[in-house]
Amino acid sequence: MNDCPACGRVKNPAHYLCSRCWYSLGPTTRKSLWRKDSLAAERLRELYQAIQRDIPLADIKVTP
Ligand SMILES: [Zn+2]
C-alpha cells in the first residue's frame, strides 16, 4: 500500500502514514506505534480504523 490512508498522498511503503500525517498524530500515539511488540499489529489496526471513522489525526489514541 503506497497511498497514505489518511490523505491519499504517496507515502513511503515502509511507513504507516505519509510524514505530514504521521506528525499530525499526538506524540504519545506516535511513541506507541513505534513499539514493536506483540501488540504492534493491533495498534496499526486501531490507527487505520480511527482514520476510517474520520477521527482527526491529533485525537487518535491507540493501545499504549
Ligand atoms: Zn497523509
Side-chain angles (χ1 to χ4, degrees):
M1 192 162 67
N2 293 318
D3 293 340
C4 172
C7 70
R9 296 194 321 168
V10 175
K11 69 168 179 59
N12 182 327
H15 295 166
Y16 296 153
L17 301 173
C18 74
S19 54
R20 195 184 64 171
C21 292
W22 177 254
Y23 286 104
S24 302
L25 295 170
T28 311
T29 300
R30 282 206 306 273
K31 221 170 107 182
S32 299
L33 287 166
W34 274 122
R35 208 167 296 136
K36 299 287 181 201
D37 58 17
S38 57
L39 289 172
E42 173 68 12
R43 292 189 194 97
L44 183 58
R45 203 181 56 81
E46 290 172 352
L47 172 68
Y48 286 162
Q49 213 167 59
I51 289 169
Q52 276 171 4
R53 289 189 193 134
D54 287 327
I55 296 172
L57 290 168
D59 296 339
I60 293 177
K61 300 273 185 291
V62 297
T63 303

